[in-house]
């Protein structure tokens, strides 16, 4: 089977206002670019099913999950933190976003597909075990990793987070779980304003504003690649944020599409070597529509090649 592209129309229902950068139009930009690039015809498109509370309890405190359900408003909007809001359909979108990652793991681990891309929102990598933050309600990539370990017995899952913001939520969830090798490159100082303590299986890579593709690739080559290879992952997951692109004014990195192609190909070499090419990517940031669409297209193409 070709790469499976998993999404759901309900992921567009989370809409907290025209001024908010994390908008439903992000998914439209991706779909439009896949069509114009010709990739759309090479993908197997699937509609996600919603995650259950039991899926979420694997990575979030039960009290937190239950609180999110209870806080869902019938009208208007509620704030979970300063920049994370919920409106009446936000919970629905978040459940489908997490559920897409469950489906992706099932498709890849069953052998029905080698790779999957989850075009979902809201994003997830800032959501901690008991806290929403940074536009994120549930931690989608963490849900995927936990499902792979719980259901399929995996003992080594690598998560590669190349969003321009530190994946603090994923680090928080897996800090004490050596089955997960978590690698996060990000601009520092910048939101969420922490370097991340890291440990033997949490590889944080804080880089200064203005970092360009050559510097980024050099740092990843020196600090990550050999360690990921030695870890011998049984599954590679991407927290795929594209807000480090130089056209994206969310931050101050200077990456371009070829940098996203490069990191994907480097991880594909490792996945081909250790786990039959099994890779799953889930959308995180990326707020310039044109740059987002182009970057996702090259990322998917690199996964498939």
């Amino acid at each position: 089977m070709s790469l499976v592209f998993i999404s759901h129309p309900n992921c567009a229902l989370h809409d907290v206002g025209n001024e908010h950068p994390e908008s439903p139009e992000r998914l439209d930009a991706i779909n439009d670019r896949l069509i114009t690039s010709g990739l759309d015809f090479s993908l197997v498109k699937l509609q996600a099913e919603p995650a259950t509370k039991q899926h979420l309890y694997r990575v979030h405190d039960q009290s937190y999950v239950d609180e999110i359900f209870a806080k869902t408003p019938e009208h208007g909007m509620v704030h979970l933190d300063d920049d994370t809001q919920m409106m009446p359909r936000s919970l629905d979108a978040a459940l489908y976003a997490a559920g897409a990652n469950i489906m992706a793991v099932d498709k890849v681990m069953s052998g029905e597909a080698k790779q999957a891309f989850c075009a979902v929102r809201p994003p997830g990598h800032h959501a901690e075990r008991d806290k929403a933050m940074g536009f994120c309600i549930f931690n989608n990539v963490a849900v995927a990793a936990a499902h792979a370990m719980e259901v399929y017995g995996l003992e080594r899952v690598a998560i590669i987070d190349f969003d321009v913001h530190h994946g603090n939520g994923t680090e928080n969830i897996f800090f004490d779980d050596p089955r997960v090798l978590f690698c996060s490159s990000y601009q520092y100082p910048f939101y969420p304003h922490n370097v991340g303590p890291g440990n033997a299986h949490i590889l944080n890579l804080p880089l200064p504003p203005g970092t360009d593709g050559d510097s980024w690739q050099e740092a990843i080559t020196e600090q990550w690649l050999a360690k990921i290879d030695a870890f011998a992952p049984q599954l590679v997951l991407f927290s795929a944020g594209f807000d480090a692109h130089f056209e994206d004014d969310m931050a101050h990195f200077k990456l371009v599409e070829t940098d996203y192609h490069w990191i994907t190909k480097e991880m594909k070499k490792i996945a081909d070597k250790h786990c039959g090419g099994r890779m799953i990517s889930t959308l995180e940031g990326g707020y310039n529509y044109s740059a987002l669409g182009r970057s996702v297209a090259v990322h998917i193409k690199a996964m498939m090649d």
Side-chain angles (χ1 to χ4, degrees):
M1 180 184 282
S2 301
L3 179 144
V4 291
F5 182 91
I6 306 175
S7 189
H8 195 278
N10 287 14
C11 287
L13 298 180
H14 171 64
D15 188 349
V16 293
N18 294 333
E19 301 303 316
H20 201 286
E22 207 292 286
S23 67
E25 286 75 21
R26 299 175 65 229
L27 298 182
D28 295 335
I30 291 171
N31 287 321
D32 290 347
R33 185 63 188 182
L34 293 178
I35 292 170
T36 58
S37 69
L39 275 174
D40 184 69
F41 303 103
S42 302
L43 306 176
V44 175
K45 292 191 172 183
L46 301 175
Q47 285 205 356
E49 298 176 357
T52 67
K53 281 188 173 183
Q54 296 303 317
H55 293 136
L56 302 174
Y57 291 160
R58 292 172 181 160
V59 299
H60 293 293
D61 288 350
Q62 181 173 340
S63 58
Y64 169 72
V65 174
D66 294 346
E67 180 184 14
I68 292 298
F69 274 74
K71 281 187 173 180
T72 297
E74 293 185 10
H75 309 283
M77 190 179 302
V78 296
H79 285 255
L80 303 178
D81 81 340
D82 288 343
D83 54 14
T84 309
Q85 302 88 27
M86 291 180 66
M87 41 77 72
R89 299 306 299 272
S90 296
L91 175 60
D92 199 30
L95 291 174
Y96 277 98
N101 281 263
I102 296 289
M103 178 179 285
V105 170
D106 288 340
K107 294 298 180 183
V108 169
M109 293 307 304
S110 70
E112 293 183 55
K114 277 192 176 182
Q115 302 95 18
F117 183 85
C118 300
V120 296
R121 52 180 299 280
H125 74 149
H126 292 308
E128 298 187 352
R129 186 169 291 279
D130 61 354
K131 183 192 305 183
M133 61 183 293
F135 311 162
C136 303
I137 299 173
F138 301 130
N139 195 309
N140 303 317
V141 76
V143 168
H147 185 67
M149 294 186 292
E150 177 77 17
V151 175
Y152 298 96
L154 298 193
E155 298 178 346
R156 297 182 308 280
V157 176
I159 301 177
I160 313 303
D161 186 331
F162 53 73
D163 192 280
V164 81
H165 304 91
H166 177 226
N168 61 290
T170 313
E171 174 171 350
N172 170 264
I173 290 167
F174 293 120
F175 193 80
D176 295 320
D177 191 341
R179 297 176 299 171
V180 175
L181 179 67
F182 177 60
C183 306
S184 179
S185 68
Y186 51 93
Q187 179 178 318
Y188 184 80
F190 200 46
Y191 184 89
H193 311 298
N194 61 335
V195 175
N199 58 34
H201 65 97
I202 305 287
L203 306 182
N204 287 315
L205 186 55
L207 297 167
T211 294
D212 62 14
D214 289 343
S215 300
W216 184 73
Q217 290 187 28
E218 181 180 359
I220 287 173
T221 299
E222 291 179 353
Q223 299 188 43
W224 284 4
L225 295 187
K227 293 178 180 178
I228 300 170
D229 186 33
F231 183 70
Q234 297 165 301
L235 176 65
V236 173
L237 304 177
F238 291 103
S239 261
F242 300 95
D243 41 6
H245 196 285
F246 85 98
E247 293 179 20
D248 198 314
D249 61 8
M250 177 64 73
H252 311 96
F253 270 18
K254 298 180 179 179
L255 304 191
V256 295
E257 294 94 305
T258 53
D259 297 309
Y260 297 121
H261 186 272
W262 174 84
I263 186 66
T264 310
K265 294 295 286 186
E266 291 299 317
M267 292 306 112
K268 190 174 191 307
K269 292 175 188 176
I270 292 173
D272 287 343
K273 179 179 179 181
H274 295 292
C275 57
R278 293 196 293 261
M279 298 193 298
I280 296 168
S281 183
T282 191
L283 181 66
E284 301 287 0
Y287 306 101
N288 177 287
Y289 299 153
S290 177
L292 173 62
R294 301 193 318 265
S295 298
V296 169
V298 300
H299 175 58
I300 287 177
K301 189 174 188 303
M303 291 175 69
M304 295 173 65
D305 283 346

